[in-house]
Amino acid sequence: MSSNKPVNIALIGAGRIGSFHAESVARRLVDATLAAVADPMAAAAEKLAASLDCPLATSDIDAVLANADIDAVIIAAPARFHAGLVEKAALAGKAVFCEKPMALTLEEADRAIAAARTAGVPLQVGFNRRWDQAFHEGKAAIEQGKIGTPQLMRSVIRDPGPYQGDPARTPLWTIFYETLIHDFDTLLWLNAGARPVEVYAIADALIRPEFRDAGHLDTAMVTIRFDNGAMAVAEASFSALYGYDIRGEVFGDKGMVTMGDVRRSSMTLFGAEGVASDTWRMDTHHFVAGYTAQLAAFVETVRSGNVSGPTGADARAALQLALAAIQSVRDKQPVRLP
């Protein structure tokens, strides 16, 4: 498309993260336009569109996909709809940015990837941690050989507490499909070229133990072995009372790199009650730059056709680890990967 023409983007899904992405398109990107907001709940679409001066709000997703003026879509609907929407958007010839997870089964992932490939449209997936400055610099240090060969790896995600969710309305295995999926992608990305060969996972309901029998798991730990010898740990909790805690670490035979910090800044208060630092409390605060950068890269992808961010194949690789972790919890034993 013309480099002078703004990229017209439609949002599908006007929930929390969708609303943030819409705001980024409308307020933070100079070469993109929020052209439509679509959500099955018309009132939600209309409210968001009005707040961002977007000209079109609708509950008719098919009409948006059929609109020739729309160049691309951001899919931020509930996870169970992602793969189907990727297929429909690709069939309509739209470039696709899909929030994680792109799919819930490998078969769904394969169909989504095939649809984008057949249609010849870019498909980028929302693994925002890759765009965070600390993780980006850590990745560069590894690629430059500064830590040597990765041996021990760690990725942590702990959501800010106290936990306010409703376990009864939370889909089963969310901690793997939607939370640790970020860490699986991060570990694969930081250990590029290596293939995971074994996964072992344990999980429990430690925050809301009364929902254990219903299958709602809120705390998990996963170990992964790679074919290059590296061993990795990914851990998650739905409730860290001290803030939003996202960190990564890669230890190699020549050194170590750490990424992420729960503290908002390097400012530390020394007072009568001790030493204290303010902490991050929301993902949209911690990763505002990363969320914006990934959409800016998507816009450039729409212009050039060259995907620079996480692809459908990357999303499938992370999903494979999530599915192996789920199987491991069910079977209470390690899972070998093909």
Side-chain angles (χ1 to χ4, degrees):
M1 63 180 294
S2 170
S3 60
N4 297 322
K5 178 182 177 292
V7 175
N8 288 331
I9 298 177
L11 172 75
I12 300 176
R16 185 185 70 86
I17 196 62
S19 297
F20 186 83
H21 288 330
E23 181 184 337
S24 293
V25 173
R27 302 280 188 255
R28 301 184 185 98
L29 301 182
V30 298
D31 47 4
T33 300
L34 182 65
V37 175
D39 192 284
M41 297 183 63
E46 291 166 1
K47 180 179 179 181
L48 179 60
S51 70
L52 297 173
D53 300 318
C54 176
L56 176 61
T58 180
S59 60
D60 190 343
I61 294 172
D62 289 335
V64 168
L65 295 179
N67 189 331
D69 292 329
I70 301 296
D71 302 309
V73 297
I74 295 174
I75 296 172
R80 64 186 182 276
F81 300 119
H82 286 181
L85 287 170
V86 170
E87 288 188 71
K88 291 180 70 171
L91 183 64
K94 311 303 183 188
V96 180
F97 177 95
C98 183
E99 260 302 332
K100 54 74 189 171
M102 184 188 68
L104 299 182
T105 69
L106 294 181
E107 292 76 16
E108 287 180 348
D110 289 338
R111 289 197 300 269
I113 293 168
R117 182 186 303 117
T118 299
V121 298
L123 169 58
Q124 182 178 323
V125 181
F127 290 121
N128 60 285
R129 210 174 298 180
R130 295 190 183 202
W131 306 99
D132 177 76
Q133 181 178 349
F135 282 86
H136 181 78
E137 292 178 354
K139 167 72 167 175
I142 295 169
E143 289 181 336
Q144 293 163 13
K146 293 183 177 180
I147 68 158
T149 302
Q151 296 177 337
L152 296 172
M153 307 176 67
R154 187 182 184 209
S155 187
V156 173
I157 182 167
R158 297 173 186 160
D159 291 336
Y163 175 66
Q164 301 292 335
D166 181 355
R169 299 181 62 185
T170 302
L172 294 178
W173 307 111
T174 288
I175 198 163
F176 296 111
Y177 277 130
E178 300 193 45
T179 304
L180 279 163
I181 197 81
H182 277 296
D183 300 82
F184 298 148
D185 176 71
T186 299
L187 292 169
L188 290 166
W189 177 60
L190 293 175
N191 196 19
R195 184 177 65 85
V197 295
E198 184 179 86
V199 174
Y200 178 61
I202 54 175
D204 205 347
L206 302 182
I207 301 164
R208 298 291 299 275
E210 68 272 25
F211 284 91
R212 181 180 291 113
D213 291 343
H216 175 72
L217 305 174
D218 52 42
T219 308
M221 180 174 290
V222 183
T223 61
I224 304 166
R225 291 184 64 91
F226 291 87
D227 64 356
N228 68 344
M231 295 176 280
V233 175
E235 63 174 79
S237 170
F238 284 170
S239 185
L241 294 182
Y242 56 84
Y244 183 53
D245 191 358
I246 305 292
R247 286 174 287 125
E249 178 181 292
V250 181
F251 170 86
D253 59 344
K254 294 182 180 179
M256 179 179 70
V257 60
T258 65
M259 298 146 283
D261 195 333
V262 70
R263 297 174 299 173
R264 289 182 62 93
S265 74
S266 58
M267 190 281 286
T268 303
L269 174 64
F270 295 78
E273 297 180 354
V275 181
S277 298
D278 287 337
T279 59
W280 296 108
R281 293 287 164 169
M282 289 188 68
D283 55 350
T284 48
H285 295 162
H286 191 326
F287 290 117
V288 60
Y291 277 131
T292 304
Q294 69 176 356
L295 290 181
F298 176 61
V299 169
E300 179 56 32
T301 288
V302 177
R303 294 186 185 283
S304 67
N306 299 316
V307 178
S308 61
T311 65
D314 293 323
R316 187 190 191 281
L319 175 64
Q320 184 180 40
L321 291 180
L323 292 170
I326 291 169
Q327 181 183 342
S328 179
V329 171
R330 282 173 168 160
D331 297 345
K332 296 183 173 58
Q333 63 182 14
V335 172
R336 294 289 298 181
L337 296 178

